[in-house]
DNA sequence: CGTGTAAGGAATTCTGACACG
DNA sequence: CGTGTAAGGAATTCTGACACG
């Protein structure tokens, strides 16, 4: 789906206003691999509304004393869980398939 | 609803890419009261995804040989129709209300 | 009327670094 | 580690005007 939420079209100044975070913080979270803006030909960063939500989420975790390292690992765990779910599903499908033959 | 669609957060360069229209055209359509971007403190224009759709619509009408003046009048007619519908609805409600007393 | 363009200036963003802690 | 800041430069945008038609 080409939703508006994940279209990278917002520059950092406006992102800063929307999230309340300084541009410095936003660029730093990118450096720590927590956020992945696109770039214009000229090199200007472009973010999506999804990124706004992600940044607010990051900000909350930082307030809770979490380090960028922890947050990144947490993101990966989420991915792992998702993968796990997919694998379980695939496993069930395979089992059902195998029963047929 | 605070939808993403009507949040004015996109600068003119990206709007130009999304719509395929030159910045000159986009600014001109604003001058002709067809589009209404917001501004940053510094004066930079900010548009929404809704504006993107509106601009594409305008571009189509211009291609059909319509003039900005016609398009603006057309917009107003749409509003009038909407108002008309609301008025009719209100009229029916009033009629129903009057029957009760 | 609608749009391209060159012009000069202002606002916005970028990177790398130093600072504090 | 996370973030502020001053620095210099580059990309982006702005306005008013001239041009063509």
């Amino acid at each position: 789906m080409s939703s508006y939420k994940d279209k990278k079209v917002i520059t950092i100044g406006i992102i800063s206003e929307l999230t309340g975070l300084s541009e410095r913080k936003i660029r730093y979270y990118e450096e720590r691999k927590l956020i992945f803006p696109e770039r214009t030909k000229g090199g200007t960063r472009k973010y999506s509304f999804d990124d706004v939500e992600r940044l607010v989420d990051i900000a909350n975790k930082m307030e809770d004393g979490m380090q960028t390292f922890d947050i990144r690992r947490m993101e990966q765990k989420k991915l792992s869980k998702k993968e796990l779910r997919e694998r379980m599903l695939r496993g069930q499908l395979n089992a059902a398939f195998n029963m047929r033959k």
Side-chain angles (χ1 to χ4, degrees), chain A:
Chain A
M1 312 118 273
S2 72
S3 176
Y4 294 123
K5 283 194 63 177
D6 44 30
K7 251 189 175 285
K8 310 261 187 179
V9 296
I10 315 175
T11 51
I12 199 166
I14 293 170
I15 290 292
S16 175
E17 285 185 2
L18 293 178
T19 61
L21 300 174
S22 67
E23 299 185 9
R24 179 69 168 97
K25 286 184 181 179
I26 297 170
R27 293 197 190 97
Y28 180 67
Y29 298 153
E30 175 183 1
E31 185 185 325
R32 300 312 311 273
K33 310 285 182 191
L34 295 179
I35 195 95
F36 307 95
E38 291 180 359
R39 299 272 185 153
T40 64
K41 301 126 190 177
T44 301
R45 270 168 268 249
K46 295 182 297 180
Y47 302 84
S48 67
F49 280 112
D50 258 354
D51 289 331
V52 172
E53 296 184 5
R54 199 166 294 127
L55 281 167
V56 170
D57 191 55
I58 292 170
N60 286 142
K61 286 173 180 160
M62 291 298 285
E63 273 185 37
D64 293 346
M66 224 176 273
Q67 289 184 240
T68 60
F69 178 82
D70 302 322
I71 299 175
R72 184 164 63 255
R73 279 192 72 252
M74 193 172 251
E75 292 297 324
Q76 291 174 345
K77 283 215 175 169
K78 272 186 199 164
L79 282 178
S80 296
K81 269 190 190 171
K82 199 173 184 180
E83 279 180 356
L84 206 67
R85 255 179 267 127
E86 286 172 356
R87 277 177 200 167
M88 287 182 65
L89 180 61
R90 218 173 297 137
Q92 290 180 315
L93 288 174
N94 284 340
F97 182 77
N98 289 332
M99 279 172 62
R100 288 180 40 219
K101 60 178 179 181

